[in-house]
Amino acid sequence: MQGQGRIGARLAQAVPTILLLSVIVFGLQQLMPGDPALIIAGEAAGDPHVVAQIRAHLHLDAPIALQYLRWLWGVLHGNLGYSWRLDEPVTALVAQKLPVTLQLSAMAFLFAVVIGVPAGVISAVKRDTVWDFIANGVGLFGLSIPTFWLGIVLILVVSVDLGWLPPSGYVPLMQDPLRSLATTIMPAFVLGNAIAATFMRHTRSAMLSAMEQDYVRTARAKGLSEPRVVLRHALRNALIPVVTLGGLQLGTLLSGAVLTEQVFGVPGFGKLVVDSVFNRDYPVIQGVVLVTGALYIALNLLTDLLYVLINPRLRAA
Amino acid sequence: MSATAVTARPAARAPSPFRLAMGRFAARRAALLGLGLVALVVGAAVFARLIAPIGPTAADWSAIRLAPSAAHWFGTDEVGRDEFARVVFGARASLLAGVVSVLIASAIGVPAGILAGVAGGWTDAVLSRIVDAMLAIPFLILAIALAAFLGPNLRNAMIAIGITTAPVLMRVARAATLDVMTQDYIEAARALGNPPWRLALRHVVPNILPPLLVQSTLAIASAIIAEASLSFLGLGEQPPTPSWGAMLNAAQQFLTQSPWLATFPGLAIFITVLGFNLVGDGLRDALDPRRAGR
């Protein structure tokens, strides 16, 4: 009951959040200095006929609320507008680039979990020892090093000096899985590094409080072996808040992807945004912002669902 | 301060919570190291002209991309400018961006958070949904979009980072306010007939400062990374004024021939951000001893 109520409440919250997100995305356009019709017209901006045509075509003279509703209606029908630069529907561009970034993000997430969670556990179990000190130091290092610089340094060492991996480029997973892994493993590691530190810190903190709970003392008193106490009893409970954290990290991943893709020349979502920014291709920027925001809200709804499923207290109540 | 110094005072007053917290802060080596790193970078920014009299924009076409040497400690860049001078002067853009954008974020986020926490009800619901919507957009993507629509320069980058950081501070201010509002002294102040605005200003604000101070310090660290990221993408400080992100972007072209160009600006960002992160962690442990070391 409680779990269902929680999901219902979250769903009810998500709707206004998505609507507000659309208002923010639409509002971005209003920040633009100058007349959008003139910018779209480009070299033909001197011709008032062309400018008037563009203005009429895009309904730029209509009241702002009406413009928003017209735009929202289009978005709800899968129409995110047309790229000014590539003359392609924004939806098609997004659909084309998104899988690349998702592959990168999924691999990065895997790196982060594989590094961050065990490091957090060791750090908590061996609290105040040299292991704890090392894990904390590595975590702080991960939080403080700029993603793009780590990428540059890795290219320098791994690709230029050692020649182990290609410095840039991308091969689709379906085309050649092995080469695809070779081109994405370095960017994925760089991208995963920042959130590995966050995972490590949260796992450590959750483990420290779990280890103080009565059920851990009971498990020890029953004579269970220490690894069993740590893994079966403490970690299972400590992972619950960490799962929620996982959903919240999507934003960090997508932010980091923009820089990582730029450094490693991966043709994904992030590169699409940056290229659009420099070509003043505003509909694409708006489309990308809207899609990432909606993705984030959807993923966090899913995480909440997962939270209810793995947390026995919410499930049984 | 030694124990005898305290007892020797005639009034024998207990040390204030602030003093206690500062004592705990000073006892942490990591926090002091962080403070030292921050002081180093602030010193570089303030005394840049004394430290690097050559200046960051003096080009020398006879000294292009020289490796580090006694004459040029960090080498020279693609137009023969002294890399050391550019790294030292680059501290200005980074620190300015870190501090100003967090000030902008606080000016928006803190009043909104207190308002949401004190007023509750619809006000809280509406403000919280706006914050949810803003937080749904990945930090850097929103900052890039804002900087792109506003136009690329340092001022707009700071506005963009400030706006994107505001929701984080709003959430912290709101949570801290809600926490304070359950305290007995608020109940007492309310019972005495204090209006809500007076409750907020006289009783809530002073009590939510500690968590805000911690969050702001950590936010400066993220803002500095964000500024470096934006200027790496060409959306921050414009050339020839030096900024670490833009220097790294330029260095990418000469990665194999002149790796030092990519080394020093990156190290500078790392040291600065590490400093603020260490200070933020230290402040959190000092101001909230129950959570220390967690």
Side-chain angles (χ1 to χ4, degrees):
Chain A
M1 235 355 248
Q2 201 187 340
Q4 277 170 10
R6 189 186 157 91
I7 293 168
R10 285 291 284 114
L11 269 174
Q13 271 182 12
V15 176
T17 307
I18 288 188
L19 270 178
L20 276 167
L21 171 71
S22 75
V23 174
I24 294 173
V25 172
F26 180 78
L28 279 174
Q29 207 177 303
Q30 310 305 317
L31 294 174
M32 200 164 34
D35 184 346
L38 285 179
I39 296 173
I40 304 175
E43 283 172 11
D47 187 343
H49 280 292
V50 176
V51 175
Q53 251 179 357
I54 293 173
R55 191 168 285 143
H57 181 70
L58 295 175
H59 308 283
L60 292 173
D61 287 331
I64 188 90
L66 209 64
Q67 282 187 46
Y68 166 70
L69 286 178
R70 208 185 292 272
W71 174 81
L72 186 65
W73 185 252
V75 169
L76 289 174
H77 290 78
N79 175 12
L80 291 171
Y82 275 81
S83 158
W84 296 351
R85 176 173 59 116
L86 303 165
D87 206 27
E88 259 188 83
V90 173
T91 355
L93 282 172
V94 167
Q96 189 190 333
K97 305 287 184 186
L98 193 58
V100 181
T101 302
L102 287 184
Q103 182 194 343
L104 199 62
S105 303
M107 285 172 67
F109 193 80
L110 209 65
F111 265 121
V113 171
V114 168
I115 300 170
V117 173
V121 172
I122 292 171
S123 169
V125 174
K126 309 258 180 208
R127 190 180 182 182
D128 294 332
T129 65
V130 68
W131 297 108
D132 186 20
F133 184 76
I134 293 173
N136 271 311
V138 172
L140 207 58
F141 176 83
L143 280 180
S144 306
I145 197 164
T147 321
F148 51 98
W149 187 51
L150 183 61
I152 293 174
V153 171
L154 274 186
I155 290 180
L156 204 55
V157 176
V158 179
S159 304
V160 178
D161 284 353
L162 300 170
W164 286 351
L165 289 168
S168 67
Y170 172 74
V171 176
L173 193 60
M174 293 302 153
Q175 193 183 316
D176 184 346
L178 266 183
R179 295 231 6 241
S180 180
L181 275 183
T183 51
T184 43
I185 196 150
M186 216 162 34
F189 174 78
V190 168
L191 188 53
N193 170 67
I195 59 168
T198 314
F199 273 123
M200 181 258 152
R201 289 184 147 204
H202 278 82
T203 309
R204 179 175 184 273
S205 167
M207 275 301 281
L208 282 177
S209 35
M211 298 288 282
E212 283 167 4
Q213 299 297 315
D214 287 343
Y215 56 76
V216 168
R217 202 170 24 167
T218 311
R220 280 206 182 110
K222 280 196 303 189
L224 296 182
S225 68
E226 194 59 22
R228 207 177 151 84
V229 171
V230 168
L231 296 177
R232 280 296 296 270
H233 294 267
L235 183 60
R236 272 182 83 168
N237 285 285
L239 277 184
I240 293 171
V242 176
V243 167
T244 322
L245 180 77
L248 294 171
Q249 290 307 310
L250 179 78
T252 319
L253 275 179
L254 291 177
S255 286
V258 175
L259 296 161
T260 319
E261 288 175 6
Q262 197 67 14
V263 172
F264 288 93
V266 178
F269 220 56
K271 208 153 172 352
L272 180 67
V273 189
V274 175
D275 291 345
S276 310
V277 163
F278 285 104
N279 293 291
R280 312 188 103 205
D281 199 350
Y282 296 113
V284 179
I285 307 177
Q286 280 179 313
V288 168
V289 174
L290 188 70
V291 171
T292 46
L295 214 67
Y296 180 89
I297 293 171
L299 194 85
N300 278 292
L301 262 177
L302 267 176
T303 318
D304 255 38
L305 197 71
L306 200 65
Y307 188 83
V308 171
L309 287 178
I310 60 169
N311 191 341
R313 268 163 298 195
L314 285 179
R315 193 176 43 202
Chain B
M1 188 188 346
S2 69
T4 48
V6 177
T7 46
R9 265 196 218 137
R13 268 171 46 190
S16 71
F18 175 76
R19 284 207 141 183
L20 281 175
M22 286 308 107
R24 281 193 295 268
F25 183 87
R28 296 183 65 86
R29 264 179 294 174
L32 290 180
L33 171 68
L35 208 57
L37 292 177
V38 171
L40 179 76
V41 180
V42 172
V46 174
F47 301 111
R49 240 170 239 298
L50 290 174
I51 301 169
I54 196 168
T57 50
D60 178 358
W61 293 98
S62 64
I64 287 174
R65 288 198 278 118
L66 294 180
S69 66
H72 299 285
W73 292 355
F74 292 177
T76 59
D77 72 359
E78 69 277 11
V79 292
R81 293 175 296 204
D82 183 54
E83 187 76 353
F84 176 72
R86 290 185 69 72
V87 169
V88 169
F89 276 88
R92 291 185 170 176
S94 271
L95 287 179
L96 191 69
V99 173
V100 172
S101 35
V102 170
L103 285 179
I104 295 174
S106 312
I108 306 169
V110 174
I114 296 175
L115 180 65
V118 173
W122 271 102
T123 320
D124 181 24
V126 170
L127 284 171
S128 292
R129 288 300 81 70
I130 294 177
V131 162
D132 283 353
M134 286 181 72
L135 284 176
I137 308 170
F139 179 73
L140 192 63
I141 292 185
L142 182 57
I144 289 175
L146 282 170
F149 279 94
L150 290 167
N153 59 48
L154 182 62
R155 190 191 62 136
N156 288 344
M158 293 192 294
I159 296 175
I161 299 167
I163 294 175
T164 21
T165 310
V168 180
L169 290 179
M170 184 273 183
R171 276 211 174 159
V172 174
R174 175 180 175 273
T177 304
L178 287 177
D179 196 35
V180 167
M181 290 300 278
T182 62
Q183 302 292 321
D184 288 340
Y185 57 81
I186 291 286
E187 206 43 60
R190 207 197 313 248
L192 285 172
N194 282 298
W197 62 265
R198 203 182 149 82
L199 277 184
L201 287 182
R202 283 294 298 273
H203 302 279
V204 173
V205 170
N207 286 298
I208 65 169
L209 280 181
L212 280 177
L213 187 66
V214 172
Q215 197 58 46
S216 307
T217 314
L218 297 172
I220 291 180
S222 341
I224 288 174
I225 291 203
E227 187 274 333
S229 308
L230 287 180
S231 67
F232 176 73
L233 297 171
L235 290 168
E237 185 74 284
Q238 296 300 306
T241 315
S243 85
W244 295 334
M247 288 165 75
L248 280 176
N249 187 14
Q252 268 193 302
Q253 299 166 40
F254 311 106
L255 208 50
T256 45
Q257 307 99 316
S258 318
W260 60 88
L261 290 178
T263 310
F264 296 108
L267 266 180
I269 303 173
F270 174 62
I271 285 175
T272 312
V273 174
L274 182 68
F276 279 103
N277 274 333
L278 284 172
V279 172
D281 280 357
L283 280 177
R284 185 177 46 210
D285 288 351
L287 293 169
D288 188 0
R290 277 165 305 170
R291 281 203 64 227
R294 290 291 165 100

